[in-house]
Amino acid sequence: TSDESVLMRRQAAYLAMTVAEHFRDEGSNVLCMMDSVTRFAMAQREIGLSVGEPPTSKGYTPTVFTELPRLLERAGPGKTGDGSITGLFTVLVEGDNHNEPVADAVRGILDGHVVMERAIAERGRYPAINVLKSVSRTMPRCVPPEQLPVLRKARQLLSTYTDMEELIRLGAYRKGSDPTVDEAIHRFTLIDDFLNQGKDEATSLSDGYFQLANLLEMTQG
């Protein structure tokens, strides 16, 4: 926790990963959750500054960016016959700036990232995930091939609406000017409602794909 010494905060992360590796090497599939990588990076920054390292990007020292891959890249599959480590690492960004140094470095190391935004939470949609900014490099191999076109179309409609959102809200867009934009406007509320989930609501992946496909096939009024 934040009130522990900087060495304790750094070593706690390495110890957690070592324990995960122990179970992985025994053949288990391990889920390792770390909250947060930012706290680890800040601890390493303090250590670096105390030994005379020069601050570089936003005050972070060079060793921060060498220690991050040493920690995070230990997650993943083991040797043949071993288990695996699935890592969920949270990153707290300063001022909602998703290009700040730690977030930017972690984004280049991990296989995907789920971006949560305060603005989405403020309008009452939970989980407050920005679908367009969230990316998974493993997703195409994890989704049934017949569902990929559905997911692609949903993202394209969200992207089209986001690009035109300011004009739509100002009333500067005239219906009928672009069929793609018309469809995006029609489907946006439906997709946004689909993305909203109550804390006690449970939907299987197959049901989710089915519901999304139905939303995209509904006739425009």
Side-chain angles (χ1 to χ4, degrees):
T1 54
S2 297
D3 60 342
E4 296 284 358
S5 69
V6 291
L7 286 173
M8 182 71 80
R9 277 182 272 153
R10 186 189 70 170
Q11 294 307 107
Y14 282 121
L15 177 61
M17 192 60 73
T18 301
V19 172
E21 287 174 327
H22 167 77
F23 288 109
R24 179 198 63 192
D25 294 345
E26 287 190 339
S28 300
N29 293 316
V30 184
L31 175 62
C32 179
M33 296 184 285
M34 193 173 296
D35 183 17
S36 70
V37 173
T38 307
R39 189 173 294 157
F40 170 85
M42 292 175 74
Q44 183 59 47
R45 176 175 63 182
E46 289 185 51
I47 293 168
L49 291 173
S50 69
V51 297
E53 279 191 78
T56 53
S57 182
K58 284 203 171 181
Y60 287 100
T61 56
T63 51
V64 171
F65 303 103
T66 58
E67 292 296 318
L68 281 173
R70 284 185 60 197
L71 173 71
L72 303 178
E73 289 180 358
R74 288 165 67 177
K79 298 176 183 178
T80 303
D82 289 346
S84 64
I85 300 174
T86 299
L88 292 179
F89 307 100
T90 67
V91 180
L92 304 176
V93 298
E94 297 179 9
D96 290 340
N97 176 19
H98 295 284
N99 293 318
E100 61 94 32
V102 175
D104 205 35
V106 170
R107 192 161 46 230
I109 297 169
L110 301 180
D111 288 327
H113 49 277
V114 177
V115 176
M116 306 189 77
E117 284 195 351
R118 192 191 314 271
I120 296 175
E122 287 172 348
R123 61 183 172 85
R125 201 254 281 166
Y126 296 96
I129 296 172
N130 186 318
V131 175
L132 296 178
K133 291 183 180 179
S134 302
V135 175
S136 171
R137 288 187 279 275
T138 62
M139 190 271 283
R141 299 192 300 275
C142 299
V143 173
E146 64 274 13
Q147 301 297 343
L148 285 173
V150 174
L151 300 177
R152 258 195 301 268
K153 184 176 181 181
R155 287 182 71 97
Q156 287 168 354
L157 291 173
L158 287 174
S159 178
T160 299
Y161 184 89
T162 301
D163 290 341
M164 299 293 293
E165 187 171 15
E166 190 171 346
L167 291 177
I168 295 167
R169 294 192 185 283
L170 291 173
Y173 175 75
R174 294 179 60 185
K175 186 177 180 180
S177 301
D178 186 329
T180 305
V181 177
D182 290 342
E183 184 179 8
I185 294 171
H186 172 70
R187 310 256 185 227
F188 177 77
T189 303
L190 298 173
I191 296 174
D192 198 56
D193 289 342
F194 167 78
L195 294 173
N196 190 48
Q197 185 177 26
K199 65 177 182 178
D200 297 321
E201 181 183 349
T203 304
S204 67
L205 277 174
S206 57
D207 286 344
Y209 294 140
F210 178 76
Q211 291 174 21
L212 184 59
N214 280 347
L215 291 179
L216 300 181
E217 291 172 2
M218 289 174 63
T219 306
Q220 288 181 239

